[in-house]
Amino acid sequence: MIRISILILICIILIIWAAPLLIRFDPMQTDASNTLLAPSPKHLLGTDYLGRDVLSRVLYGGQRTLIITSLAALAGLIIGVGIGLIVGISSPLIAALLMGVLNALLAFPPLVLALVTLTLLGQSDAALVLAVGLAQTASVAQVMRAGVQTILIQDYVLAARAQGATAWRIIYAHILPGIQSTVLVYGVIVFGYCLFNSAALSLLGLGSAPGIPDWGVMLAEGRNSFRAAPWVAFAPGMLITIVILCLNTLVDNLNQC
Amino acid sequence: MINILRFAASAVLTLWLAASLTFVALRLLPGDAIQAQYWEASAELQATLRQNLHWDEPIGVQYARFLLALLRGELGVSLYTGRPVTEILAERFLPTTELAFWSLSIAVVWGILGGIIAAIDITVISAIFRLIIGLAVSVPIYWTGTLVIFVVAIHLGGVRENSALPALVLGFHTGGVIARSVQSNIQDIKQADFVRTAHAKGLFPSYIVVQHILRVSLLPVVHMIALQAGFLLSGAVITESLFQRAGIGLLLLDAVQGRDYPVVQGVVLMIATVFILLNRFAELLTHQLDPRLNS
């Protein structure tokens, strides 16, 4: 299962980035005489309500969706791991204070946090990345703190301390290598959440500028013409689903390893 | 009794922190609401508006005013309609509560039963349930919702108002998360020594499942269910937008798009309150149900 998931993910990424070689239509090119065409040899996935080729849009849109999701996941992981480290190594009082704030943050569902961030920052690509990423930081920090604490009570850390190792040395030589696998597994989980949330925000009309293809935006546009032309929403809908399904399979199997 | 007090204290503390976070986020960070909202208005009018909202006072005074108002249950007025936020929230509360209640009921029943069936090996049926659980966890709710609306539109001509569909869709996904946790709990406990002992004693397998395995493995699920409140509320934003139901989720979405700060603040505070209270209640309940935790 794990091999199939990785294979599917790699294929999707390759096809998306090989898009310029594979497709004949400009994803932004409208064609008023060929709107809502059913899939055919010319337009493999049909055309949308403005006559744009769905295949080229879903591939170019995939680039955008996956880049935004990756940046968001990376931002969430880096900030979350940072906070987790600080909470893990700081004095009990400061740690308790920070944990209180983290717990309060965890009381807001990630999508709601992302919505609030977008209210504050306005709508732009950078805001979208930050909103989706920041929404994950509290849970990342919580997981990392637990990881850091289990390492800190190990004898080899105590020995390093006794030898006079600095905090930076302990972080660099003991904690970071120790939480590597946790970061990796949790990174895949966070990526899945970020994909779900960034597509949801685009779908809700809070993502990119209209027109620029993106799986969430395409899903929103496709929903409007779903009865007449279900294929428009079908392509992005299925792709988001397949990617998340593969990621979840990956996580389940990584956890068992 | 001590437990109840302890959980109440921690709930109040978390609530206060959550409220403060909302205050800091919406008052201190860049993006002046008045400027964004009334950019056409003259500088004097903008100043008057700020004065009316007390936004020209020192931040400490504003914070004190905010907390006092919160204690009195006041959340300010909408920048658009001028209506009190509490009034708007009260109006939108019922549809979302209804949606959440039915979704959670469906989720609990299907989640627990589905999880049990997936975990005890009845070959084909269990495999099918494992597949359905995997789909419930992985397929984005907005895609399921879209497909359901499409199918219903073809067969019935459209989704009726007040239909059960949003609750079914939301319940299916929420239940998936519950089912997966039930399933993994049972699979873990099936390996436990006391279960092996029960088998060795020659107890009836179905008796072992009910009396030994389920009793232990369903305990953490109580907390799990309360944790789904967050999932349910995010889901409500999406479901209400898909099915155009005038609840809290749609209110939040509209307020975010219009940058109606007081409304966003009110909704977010309400969501956090519900989540924190449910969570503490579940912790309390788990402590009551599980004698091991009190020793």
Side-chain angles (χ1 to χ4, degrees):
Chain A
M1 282 306 272
I2 191 163
R3 291 212 181 122
I4 300 172
S5 307
I6 294 176
L7 199 69
I8 294 174
L9 285 174
I10 291 175
C11 283
I12 289 177
I13 291 171
L14 281 181
I15 293 172
I16 284 175
W17 262 275
L21 307 172
L22 299 174
I23 48 181
R24 289 165 291 170
F25 296 96
D26 179 350
M28 309 290 279
Q29 183 61 51
T30 57
D31 182 353
S33 55
N34 283 318
T35 60
L36 301 179
L37 288 183
S40 65
K42 192 177 172 217
H43 296 280
L44 280 178
L45 292 175
T47 61
D48 70 0
Y49 74 111
L50 291 173
R52 297 172 296 196
D53 181 52
V54 173
L55 178 64
S56 53
R57 281 179 75 73
V58 87
L59 294 185
Y60 276 104
Q63 292 185 2
R64 203 188 128 78
T65 301
L66 292 186
I67 287 176
I68 284 188
T69 306
S70 309
L71 289 176
L74 212 60
L77 274 178
I78 291 174
I79 301 173
V81 170
I83 298 175
L85 277 177
I86 294 172
V87 178
I89 61 169
S90 51
S91 65
L93 186 71
I94 297 174
L97 210 73
L98 284 171
M99 274 316 286
V101 176
L102 279 184
N103 277 333
L105 268 178
L106 284 169
F108 303 100
L111 188 65
V112 172
L113 269 187
L115 285 172
V116 174
T117 318
L118 280 180
T119 322
L120 296 168
L121 300 178
Q123 288 178 35
S124 67
D125 288 348
L128 185 64
V129 168
L130 265 181
V132 174
L134 284 179
Q136 299 297 332
T137 46
S139 60
V140 175
Q142 212 190 27
V143 172
M144 292 311 150
R145 181 197 71 116
V148 169
Q149 280 181 334
T150 49
I151 293 171
L152 278 179
I153 52 167
Q154 302 294 323
D155 287 341
Y156 59 83
V157 178
L158 201 66
R161 271 208 190 133
Q163 285 175 343
T166 59
W168 288 113
R169 169 78 194 155
I170 291 176
I171 289 177
Y172 177 75
H174 299 298
I175 298 179
L176 287 183
I179 57 172
Q180 224 173 28
S181 58
T182 319
V183 173
L184 195 74
V185 175
Y186 208 68
V188 180
I189 298 178
V190 165
F191 186 88
Y193 286 149
C194 286
L195 177 60
F196 177 92
N197 281 332
S198 71
L201 289 171
S202 301
L203 174 76
L204 297 171
L206 292 160
S208 49
I212 299 173
D214 167 299
W215 287 348
V217 170
M218 287 186 70
L219 201 52
E221 288 172 353
R223 267 169 42 75
N224 295 329
S225 53
F226 208 51
R227 283 189 81 166
W231 50 86
V232 183
F234 211 72
M238 284 314 287
L239 272 169
I240 299 173
T241 305
I242 291 171
V243 173
I244 294 183
L245 208 61
C246 288
L247 290 172
N248 283 347
T249 317
L250 208 62
V251 170
D252 285 347
N253 288 293
L254 283 174
N255 276 335
Q256 281 165 14
C257 291
Chain B
M1 195 56 208
I2 292 166
N3 263 342
I4 295 177
L5 284 178
R6 207 157 54 91
F7 284 122
S10 111
V12 169
L13 198 69
T14 317
L15 269 176
W16 167 69
L17 273 171
S20 304
L21 280 178
T22 334
F23 175 82
V24 171
L26 291 176
R27 218 50 71 75
L28 287 185
L29 290 180
D32 185 332
I34 300 289
Q35 221 173 353
Q37 209 81 83
Y38 301 97
W39 52 275
E40 284 173 312
S42 65
E44 292 104 79
L45 182 60
Q46 286 192 13
T48 325
L49 283 167
R50 280 201 195 91
Q51 218 167 6
N52 287 344
L53 290 163
H54 305 287
W55 284 5
D56 52 345
E57 289 171 16
I59 200 73
V61 179
Q62 281 191 44
Y63 181 58
R65 200 185 284 281
F66 166 75
L67 283 185
L68 280 176
L70 209 58
L71 286 177
R72 285 197 304 264
E74 286 168 19
L75 290 164
V77 294
S78 159
L79 290 181
Y80 277 112
T81 57
R83 288 179 62 201
V85 174
T86 29
E87 207 178 289
I88 307 177
L89 282 179
E91 195 179 280
R92 300 292 194 102
F93 189 67
L94 199 63
T96 305
T97 318
E98 228 178 312
L99 176 65
F101 174 78
W102 289 115
S103 308
L104 198 61
S105 309
I106 295 168
V108 168
V109 173
W110 122 244
I112 291 180
L113 288 180
I116 293 173
I117 296 173
I120 52 174
D121 288 304
I122 330 173
T123 53
V124 188
I125 303 172
S126 296
I128 293 172
F129 267 85
R130 279 197 281 270
L131 186 74
I132 298 175
I133 293 170
L135 288 177
V137 175
S138 297
V139 181
I141 184 168
Y142 35 84
W143 183 229
T144 330
T146 307
L147 290 175
V148 165
I149 293 175
F150 176 57
V151 171
V152 171
I154 285 180
H155 291 289
L156 300 172
V159 178
R160 279 177 301 118
E161 221 167 295
N162 292 327
S163 85
L165 283 178
L168 272 172
V169 171
L170 192 50
F172 172 65
H173 288 285
T174 315
V177 186
I178 297 175
R180 201 165 63 158
S181 121
V182 171
Q183 186 197 338
S184 72
N185 281 345
I186 295 179
Q187 275 165 346
D188 286 346
I189 286 168
K190 260 182 6 189
Q191 322 275 329
D193 287 340
F194 71 90
V195 175
R196 205 163 39 164
T197 312
H199 277 293
K201 282 198 296 187
L203 292 178
F204 213 59
S206 61
Y207 179 84
I208 297 177
V209 168
V210 174
Q211 282 296 318
H212 290 73
I213 299 179
L214 288 188
R215 263 187 80 177
V216 184
S217 53
L218 288 185
L219 258 180
V221 176
V222 175
H223 200 201
M224 185 70 207
I225 291 169
L227 283 180
Q228 292 319 304
F231 187 93
L232 218 55
L233 288 162
S234 318
V237 176
I238 296 169
T239 328
E240 286 176 1
S241 156
L242 286 183
F243 290 89
Q244 287 299 311
R245 280 169 64 106
I248 295 288
L250 204 57
L251 176 69
L252 175 64
L253 204 60
D254 290 339
V256 167
Q257 262 154 351
R259 302 187 91 177
D260 194 342
Y261 287 58
V263 176
V264 172
Q265 177 180 287
V267 174
V268 164
L269 269 178
M270 195 175 107
I271 288 176
T273 311
V274 169
F275 186 73
I276 292 167
L277 290 181
L278 275 177
N279 213 337
R280 291 296 174 275
F281 178 68
E283 274 174 23
L284 197 64
L285 201 64
T286 315
H287 271 256
Q288 296 296 325
L289 292 176
D290 192 346
R292 290 172 303 180
L293 292 173
N294 285 322
S295 56

